[in-house]
Amino acid sequence: MTENPHPASTKARLRRELLAARRALSPDACRTAAGALAVRALELPELAGADTVAAYVSVGTEPGTHALLDALRAAGKRVLLPLLLPDNDLDWAVYEGPQGLAETAHPGKMRLLEPTGPALGPDEVTTAGAVLLPGLAVDARGMRLGRGGGSYDRVLERLERAGAHPALVVLLYDDEVVARVPEEPHDHPVQAVATPSGVVRFRGLGPGLTA
C-alpha cells in the first residue's frame, strides 16, 4: 500500500508547477490581468469598509497589485505595505504613492519594491480592517497555498494573538483557484479570493460571507 505524501512535499511540488505557469505568462497578459484584478478586488465590501488595508507590492509575474494600491489610496484608504526583515518577519510602512517605493535587495532573495517611509513595527498590521495576502493557490475551503517563506504565517499568527479579525483576501490568477491544496496545522483559511474574472467568497468563514 502506498502512503500518502506528506503535505509539505506535496506543497513543494504544487508550488513548482504554479510558479512555472506564472513564469510562462507574457508581459501583456500580466498587465491585462492586473487591471482586471484591481477592478474585481475593489468590488469587495471588505475593502470598501476598511479604513486601513494591509497589502503588498507584486513582483515579477505575480498577480499585479500596483493599480490596486493606487486605487485604494485614491479611495482614501490608509494602505500599509510590508518591509521584509532579516528573519523573514514583516514590518510595515504607509504607502505614499509610487514615488514612495524603492527597490531593496535582500540577500538570497529577489529584489523587492518597499515603502521608504518610517517603519511602524510588525504589530501595525493588527490595525488593518482587511489584509491582502499573496499566494499561489486557494482551494474550495478557502485554504491558501503560500510561497513557503513563512512571512505571512507570522502575520496571521500575530493577528490571532492580538485578537484582530481583519478580512483575509488572497489575490490570484483565475486558474489558481483549485479543488484542494495540502493543509498543515499552521495554515489559516481566507474569507475571499479575487481573480481577474471575479470574486469567490467562502461559506462560514466570517460574518455574512458566502461562497
Side-chain angles (χ1 to χ4, degrees):
M1 188 168 86
T2 304
E3 292 184 3
N4 290 328
H6 190 275
S9 61
T10 306
K11 282 183 175 182
R13 176 185 54 77
L14 187 54
R15 285 187 184 108
R16 287 193 297 272
E17 294 172 358
L18 292 164
L19 287 168
R22 284 187 178 181
R23 285 193 295 270
L25 293 171
S26 70
D28 283 345
C30 290
R31 280 192 293 271
T32 299
L37 182 61
V39 172
R40 297 304 186 188
L42 289 169
E43 293 172 354
L44 282 163
E46 291 84 0
L47 294 189
D51 294 326
T52 296
V53 177
Y56 62 96
V57 184
S58 57
V59 295
T61 55
E62 277 189 317
T65 63
H66 294 259
L68 176 56
L69 296 178
D70 289 334
L72 289 169
R73 188 164 175 263
K77 309 297 181 186
R78 179 174 179 259
V79 180
L80 298 175
L81 294 179
L83 297 159
L84 184 64
L85 298 173
D87 64 355
N88 272 0
D89 205 348
L90 298 178
D91 203 333
W92 299 88
V94 173
Y95 177 54
E96 300 290 358
Q99 74 286 351
L101 297 176
E103 192 174 77
T104 305
H106 293 276
K109 303 180 187 301
M110 67 182 70
R111 300 177 76 87
L112 302 175
L113 280 176
E114 296 184 328
T116 56
L120 302 174
D123 288 338
E124 190 66 20
V125 71
T126 65
T127 68
V131 178
L132 301 180
L133 301 168
L136 292 173
V138 70
D139 70 16
R141 305 165 299 159
M143 299 305 299
R144 163 186 160 271
L145 177 68
R147 294 183 72 116
S151 296
Y152 280 88
D153 290 331
R154 296 191 190 193
V155 169
L156 296 173
E157 289 167 6
R158 183 167 285 114
L159 293 170
E160 190 171 7
R161 286 197 307 270
H165 302 287
L168 304 176
V169 180
V170 63
L171 305 176
L172 297 174
Y173 292 111
D174 295 326
D175 57 2
E176 293 171 345
V177 181
V178 300
R180 195 171 186 91
V181 299
E183 178 187 350
E184 295 181 272
H186 63 267
D187 291 328
H188 293 253
V190 300
Q191 278 79 32
V193 56
T195 75
S197 293
V199 168
V200 178
R201 307 172 81 186
F202 301 104
R203 196 180 310 277
L205 297 176
L209 296 179
T210 57

